[in-house]
Amino acid sequence: MSADAIRVLITDDHPVFRQGLKGLLQALGGIDVAAEAESGPEAVRLAAELQPDVVVMDLHMPGGNGIEATRTITRTSPRIGVLVLTMFRDDDSVFAAMRAGARGYLLKESGAEEIARAVRAVAAGEAIYGPEIARRVLTYFTDMPDPRQAAFPQLTEREREVLELIAQGRSNSEIAATLFLSQKTVRNHVSNIFMKLHVADRAQAIVLAREAGLGESAKNAPA
């Protein structure tokens, strides 16, 4: 074993899979399989004892959940990177692993080079996900609704723009200049906003808007 080799702990309840993965990783060079575990609790114990660079973790195993094992390992030994290697591709499993502290998530159908590359990346402190998992993560975040829009569904898009500027402390003349509107049009929008939000004045509108996350730059600016 090279002194510079990445030390890996393989955790999976199928011995044939463990042996196959061990042979695959060691044949590619620069990676040494320090030990194997067949359950989450065993992985936690061996990780604490051996302090490998990477734990390759299955998620669903008899006798111990891979998510809980990942959470324990990353909490007690933050330097150890956990790479999930599983057949489960559902969103709940992916995001549970991420929340538990896993640095990577691959499906078992991944190729040898992809798995080895992920092990090296996780050992180096990087986060890495297989192509399908990366697409799921990207889709999840790009499809998330804007909470600022959800807060005031009764407002039109233009009224939300005006309210954002009100929350930033802008005057009607400044809003008119920013949005290329006449001051009369801005006054009409402001009146409609006050009516729809059931507020009596600008101060009350600013409070509601900032509570909903609008005008953040003004709210966080130093006094």
Side-chain angles (χ1 to χ4, degrees):
M1 180 185 72
S2 168
D4 296 327
I6 297 170
R7 299 174 65 249
V8 173
L9 166 63
I10 296 175
T11 306
D12 196 284
D13 60 315
H14 294 98
V16 173
F17 180 82
R18 293 198 308 270
Q19 287 299 312
L21 182 59
K22 177 179 179 179
L24 179 156
L25 292 175
Q26 297 194 151
L28 292 173
I31 300 174
D32 177 68
V33 176
E36 301 170 35
E38 61 180 18
S39 69
E42 187 179 14
V44 170
R45 179 180 62 80
L46 288 173
E49 176 185 332
L50 301 174
Q51 291 294 302
D53 300 301
V54 177
V55 176
V56 177
M57 181 77 71
D58 192 11
L59 290 186
H60 299 283
M61 299 169 286
N65 186 303
I67 296 294
E68 290 302 322
T70 296
R71 183 177 292 109
T72 300
I73 291 169
T74 57
R75 184 181 68 245
T76 58
S77 301
R79 63 164 294 278
I80 298 176
V82 176
L83 169 64
V84 170
L85 184 60
T86 181
M87 62 185 293
F88 294 94
R89 63 186 77 215
D90 60 285
D91 288 352
D92 287 345
S93 296
V94 173
F95 292 109
M98 291 172 65
R99 286 192 295 269
R103 290 186 199 160
Y105 197 111
L106 292 183
L107 300 176
K108 286 185 175 179
E109 63 198 43
S110 302
E113 290 292 344
E114 185 179 2
I115 295 173
R117 180 171 62 87
V119 167
R120 296 187 182 102
V122 168
E126 300 173 20
I128 188 164
Y129 302 94
E132 179 181 338
I133 303 305
R135 284 193 295 271
R136 282 177 172 273
V137 172
L138 183 61
T139 299
Y140 175 82
F141 287 109
T142 55
D143 285 350
M144 288 180 68
D146 186 339
R148 294 174 299 178
Q149 293 189 8
F152 303 113
Q154 69 272 45
L155 300 184
T156 66
E157 183 176 351
R158 177 62 83 185
E159 288 167 352
R160 268 193 294 269
E161 290 176 340
V162 172
L163 182 58
E164 169 69 33
L165 294 172
I166 290 174
Q168 292 177 14
R170 306 285 190 92
S171 67
N172 282 3
S173 59
E174 290 173 325
I175 294 172
T178 300
L179 299 179
F180 302 101
L181 301 172
S182 70
Q183 290 196 41
K184 179 180 178 181
T185 299
V186 171
R187 286 196 299 272
N188 288 338
H189 284 313
V190 171
S191 296
N192 288 337
I193 290 168
F194 288 0
M195 180 183 64
K196 290 180 179 181
L197 298 186
H198 305 290
V199 297
D201 54 31
R202 212 176 190 88
Q204 292 180 1
I206 289 174
V207 169
L208 280 182
R210 291 188 177 180
E211 285 178 349
L214 277 69
E216 287 292 334
S217 58
K219 185 171 65 175
N220 296 326

